Amino acid sequence: MNELVFIQNDEILVSSKDIAINFSKRHDHVLRDIENIEKDVPNFGEMFHKGESKDSYGRSQPCYFMNRDGFTLLAMGFTGKQALDWKIKYINAFNQMEKRLKSATPQLTGEELMAKALIEANSVLARQSKQLEEQKPKVLFADSVIASKGSILVRELAKLIKQNGYDIGEKKLYRWLREKGYICKNSTEPTQMAMNLGLFEIVVRTIERGDAPPKATRTTKVTGKGQVYFINKLCNSNCSLYDLEPLF
C-alpha cells in the first residue's frame, strides 16, 4: 500500500503521474486540474511542487508532487466507484506512512532540533524566493492593467505587451487575434465567443455632421479582463506567437 506514497525531505508525497494512472485519467488533464487549483489557492506552493518524471521512452516530462493536503484538493473532483476505492487506498497509504515515520523518528537534542528548524526555514525561504521570481511577470502586467484606466484599443494593448517583454506590434497582434478566433476575419470587431468571455467591448458613438445624417462609429476595445488574459498568455509563455492556442 505504501508504494502509492514516498518520502522526500521528510515529507510524504504522491506524484501526479501515478495519480493519473491509478485514477484512469490522462496525465495532461491531471496537470490541468492542478494548475486550476493554483489559481484559487494562495498557499499552493506548500502543497504542490513541480518536478519531472520519465515517460515510457525515458524522456523527462513535467509532473507535480503533492502532500496529503494537495492530494485531497485534487481528488475532490474525482467521482465514481473506482475513484472512491483509490481515494481510500491513498488515505490508508498516507496514514500508514505517517505511523511509520513517527515510530522511526529519533529523539533529537535541542541543538539538533534548532539545526533542523534552520534547514527547514532556509528551504521555505528558497521556495518563497522562487515563487516571487516566477510571479514577477504577473505583477508587471497587473500594474500595467491598473495604469490603463479601463478598456483600451488593440494598439494600446500591443504597447502594454511590448512593455512586458514580448515584442509585438498592432498589425501582428491583430493578425494573431484573427487567426486564433478572437477577432472576426477581415474585420476589427471581436467574435461572439470573445465577447461572451468578456475580453472585448464595442464602443458605439454617433457623430453629428451638420445637415447630413449622423454617422455611427463602432470601436473595438480590450477590457481589463482581456488585458490580463492576453498579457498573461503572451508574456508568460516561452512559445512562439503562433504556437499559442486560443482559450476556446
Side-chain angles (χ1 to χ4, degrees):
M1 183 67 69
N2 284 339
E3 64 192 17
L4 297 177
V5 302
F6 61 94
I7 298 174
Q8 187 177 81
N9 298 328
D10 295 329
E11 190 174 21
I12 305 172
L13 302 174
V14 296
S15 79
S16 58
K17 182 180 178 182
D18 290 341
I19 288 174
I21 293 172
N22 292 329
F23 284 87
S24 301
K25 294 182 177 293
R26 283 176 45 176
H27 189 215
D28 60 325
H29 288 178
V30 173
L31 294 179
R32 177 199 61 198
D33 292 342
I34 292 172
E35 287 163 1
N36 285 334
I37 292 173
E38 182 177 9
K39 299 174 185 176
D40 300 317
V41 178
N43 60 335
F44 176 86
E46 297 175 9
M47 296 179 284
F48 295 88
H49 314 298
K50 279 187 177 179
E52 290 185 345
S53 61
K54 300 291 184 182
D55 63 13
S56 56
Y57 297 99
R59 299 172 300 188
S60 293
Q61 299 291 337
C63 72
Y64 277 93
F65 301 117
M66 68 205 79
N67 60 18
R68 178 194 283 266
D69 291 340
F71 168 78
T72 301
L73 280 177
L74 176 63
M76 281 180 183
F78 300 163
T79 59
K81 178 64 169 59
Q82 182 184 4
L84 178 60
D85 291 342
W86 276 108
K87 288 179 188 179
I88 294 171
K89 290 177 182 179
Y90 270 99
I91 290 170
N92 289 336
F94 273 110
N95 290 339
Q96 290 180 21
M97 185 63 78
E98 286 174 357
K99 288 179 182 178
R100 206 163 83 184
L101 278 178
K102 288 178 181 178
S103 63
T105 301
Q107 295 297 317
L108 301 179
T109 65
E111 291 181 353
E112 289 172 333
L113 286 171
M114 184 174 292
K116 187 172 184 293
L118 286 172
I119 292 171
E120 291 176 352
N122 286 332
S123 177
V124 170
L125 287 173
R127 286 203 302 269
Q128 290 176 342
S129 177
K130 183 180 178 181
Q131 289 171 359
L132 287 172
E133 197 65 30
E134 291 173 348
Q135 289 170 359
K136 277 185 179 179
K138 298 180 181 179
V139 173
L140 283 173
F141 75 68
D143 289 345
S144 300
V145 171
I146 291 170
S148 71
K149 297 181 181 178
S151 298
I152 60 174
L153 298 171
V154 172
R155 68 168 172 267
E156 294 168 333
L157 175 63
K159 291 178 182 178
L160 280 179
I161 293 173
K162 194 167 185 177
Q163 289 170 7
N164 282 281
Y166 200 101
D167 190 13
I168 192 171
E170 179 185 5
K171 291 183 179 179
K172 189 175 181 182
L173 179 56
Y174 257 122
R175 186 165 68 248
W176 179 77
L177 290 169
R178 291 189 182 102
E179 292 186 3
K180 296 302 182 182
Y182 298 105
I183 296 289
C184 296
K185 302 292 184 183
N186 303 317
S187 173
T188 60
E189 293 199 359
T191 60
Q192 188 60 50
M193 181 66 77
M195 288 289 289
N196 291 343
L197 291 169
L199 303 180
F200 297 93
E201 67 175 357
I202 296 177
V203 178
V204 180
R205 290 190 176 90
T206 301
I207 301 175
E208 299 294 338
R209 302 189 298 173
D211 295 333
K215 179 182 179 181
T217 64
R218 294 166 62 87
T219 305
T220 296
K221 288 197 168 187
V222 187
T223 63
K225 179 181 178 181
Q227 294 166 55
V228 172
Y229 170 72
F230 289 118
I231 297 174
N232 184 22
K233 194 168 187 67
L234 294 174
C235 297
N236 285 350
S237 173
N238 294 322
C239 302
S240 67
L241 187 66
Y242 293 96
D243 289 335
L244 296 172
E245 293 298 324
L247 182 62
F248 42 89

